[in-house]
Amino acid sequence: CSAIDACGSSNGGCSSKAECRRTTPGNRACVCRAGYTGDGIVCLEINPCLVNNGGCDRNAECTQTGPNQAVCNCLKGYSGDGNTCTYISLCSQNNGGCSEFAICNDTELTERTCTCKPDYIGDGFNCRGNIFQELLKDSNTSRFYFHLEALSIRDISGPGPFTLFVPHSDVLNGDPRVKDWIAKGVMPQVLRYHMVGCANLLYNDLTAITNITSLHGDLIHISYSQNSLVLNNKAEIILSDAVGTNGVIHVINQILVP
């Protein structure tokens, strides 16, 4: 007589995911393979993600990749290896994309708000200070700023409001009269002739005005024709409505002479 091998056919009736082990003649035991659980007749894959998030960080997603196998990936808004995930502050890099003159606040995952700092106005992404500060930030008007700074003219750094007609930097750099005015000491009068006090006049406002008085004291004549605003029948406004906290800047293509 020979012993009956209970595992000899059909894996002894065990699950295909189980190992059939001979015990005594004619008997066997079914043991689920590694990564599976059950009674050996029925073996199911173990999903490690179902217990304690698979050992992943609580801010990570556990994804089953095989029997009792998984990978951990940090959720959006977090960084790390999945086992340890750290919150990514949007504001920690490049001020969250906000203006350098804005305050960035993390509100929730992948969200932040941008708010202009005190004494600045704007949407948080573009924040503007007073028009004296704004002159320096724009290459079109920075030359005018340098002339004001050199002569310690700070009229437009006050509360305002002011309207400013600024000759383009290229015009100020290229006009030979500027050196002569500086030498004769009349440059302050020329600069103040481009400033208007007690008024925040946007382009549309100017179309309804014919004369305004500059800080120098002389009138500036305004005419509107062919969709262009012209000052003193000479200088055309080429860029307009750069609004600051205390006024507005318009760029003109010629120097106004009192």
Side-chain angles (χ1 to χ4, degrees), residues 180-247:
D180 188 45
W181 290 331
I182 293 173
K184 291 180 178 179
V186 298
M187 194 62 179
Q189 292 93 306
V190 174
L191 295 174
R192 286 192 173 97
Y193 188 48
H194 295 78
M195 307 173 189
V196 176
C198 304
N200 187 24
L201 301 170
L202 298 175
Y203 191 92
N204 285 341
D205 300 323
L206 293 170
T207 61
I209 299 174
T210 54
N211 291 291
I212 50 177
T213 303
S214 70
L215 289 186
H216 173 62
D218 288 354
L219 289 178
I220 300 173
H221 176 69
I222 303 174
S223 57
Y224 182 72
S225 64
Q226 297 182 342
N227 296 322
S228 295
L229 273 173
V230 179
L231 309 181
N232 293 349
N233 299 315
K234 183 179 180 182
E236 181 182 346
I237 294 179
I238 54 177
L239 297 169
S240 62
D241 294 352
V243 178
T245 57
N246 65 340

Side-chain angles (χ1 to χ4, degrees), residues 11-228:
N11 199 31
C14 301
S15 166
S16 61
K17 307 299 183 184
E19 178 186 356
C20 182
R21 296 178 182 174
R22 295 170 57 186
T23 53
T24 57
N27 295 302
R28 53 92 177 100
C30 299
V31 180
C32 292
R33 294 176 185 168
Y36 294 86
T37 184
D39 60 4
I41 306 299
V42 176
C43 294
L44 302 175
E45 274 191 9
I46 297 173
N47 183 352
C49 297
L50 298 178
V51 178
N52 195 31
N53 199 31
C56 303
D57 188 275
R58 63 188 182 91
N59 293 307
E61 180 182 23
C62 179
T63 304
Q64 183 184 6
T65 58
N68 205 26
Q69 294 177 328
V71 294
C72 304
N73 293 298
C74 293
L75 298 173
K76 187 176 182 181
Y78 292 86
S79 66
D81 60 7
N83 295 310
T84 302
C85 297
T86 306
Y87 174 63
I88 302 172
S89 169
L90 292 179
C91 296
S92 65
Q93 299 179 351
N94 194 33
N95 201 30
C98 304
S99 165
E100 62 178 306
F101 304 108
I103 298 170
C104 179
N105 284 307
D106 290 293
T107 53
E108 55 184 89
L109 291 181
T110 71
E111 296 292 335
R112 53 90 179 89
T113 61
C114 302
T115 307
C116 291
K117 294 178 180 178
D119 299 325
Y120 288 86
I121 59 173
D123 59 6
F125 299 97
N126 181 21
C127 297
R128 299 177 300 279
N130 65 48
I131 55 176
F132 187 68
Q133 295 169 312
E134 292 304 302
L135 287 173
L136 180 60
K137 290 162 59 177
D138 187 344
S139 61
N140 295 320
T141 58
S142 59
R143 193 63 193 165
F144 193 84
Y145 170 89
F146 292 130
H147 282 296
L148 294 176
E149 189 73 5
L151 296 168
S152 298
I153 298 174
R154 297 294 179 88
D155 306 53
I156 57 173
S157 61
F162 301 99
T163 299
L164 203 56
F165 301 105
V166 180
H168 193 281
S169 290
D170 292 343
V171 174
L172 285 171
N173 285 332
D175 196 318
R177 295 176 298 173
V178 172
K179 288 184 179 180
D180 188 45
W181 290 331
I182 293 173
K184 291 180 178 179
V186 298
M187 194 62 179
Q189 292 93 306
V190 174
L191 295 174
R192 286 192 173 97
Y193 188 48
H194 295 78
M195 307 173 189
V196 176
C198 304
N200 187 24
L201 301 170
L202 298 175
Y203 191 92
N204 285 341
D205 300 323
L206 293 170
T207 61
I209 299 174
T210 54
N211 291 291
I212 50 177
T213 303
S214 70
L215 289 186
H216 173 62
D218 288 354
L219 289 178
I220 300 173
H221 176 69
I222 303 174
S223 57
Y224 182 72
S225 64
Q226 297 182 342
N227 296 322
S228 295

